[in-house]
Amino acid sequence: RAEALGLAAALEHCVNDWRQRLAPARIALEIESALGSMEPSRGLALFRLIQEAMTNVARHSRATRCEIDMDKFGSGSHQALF
């Protein structure tokens, strides 16, 4: 799905699914626009990381809020903060 939609759209779709599953918990997603220029293989890896992180939130926490902030630093270093 990540390849077909593009990284940002795929992440939005993924997070929206989790919003429905974990309601009434609030899930915020912030994506820097520069992430769209990421190599497809790195984007897919990042998408899978977010999926796994959300699975862990659902299974192992009783969180009422989850924030995901994704940024690009320097010449290609990316960071996702939860």
Side-chain angles (χ1 to χ4, degrees):
R1 189 178 261 306
E3 302 90 356
L5 291 175
L7 180 59
L11 288 170
E12 286 285 350
H13 183 77
C14 177
V15 168
N16 283 335
D17 284 348
W18 282 107
R19 284 180 179 130
Q20 292 175 3
R21 292 181 199 177
L22 298 176
R26 292 180 306 199
I27 302 172
L29 174 63
E30 184 74 31
I31 303 173
E32 182 182 304
S33 61
L35 291 177
S37 63
M38 184 184 303
E39 296 174 22
S41 61
R42 292 180 111 189
L44 182 58
L46 188 56
F47 178 80
R48 298 288 184 222
L49 181 120
I50 299 296
Q51 279 185 317
E52 183 63 23
M54 292 305 303
T55 298
N56 289 338
V57 166
R59 286 185 184 166
H60 306 296
S61 78
R62 293 182 181 175
T64 58
R65 188 177 87 199
C66 177
E67 297 179 26
I68 305 163
D69 188 3
M70 301 174 57
D71 292 309
K72 181 176 179 178
F73 298 96
S75 63
S77 175
H78 297 83
Q79 180 175 358
L81 302 173
F82 299 87

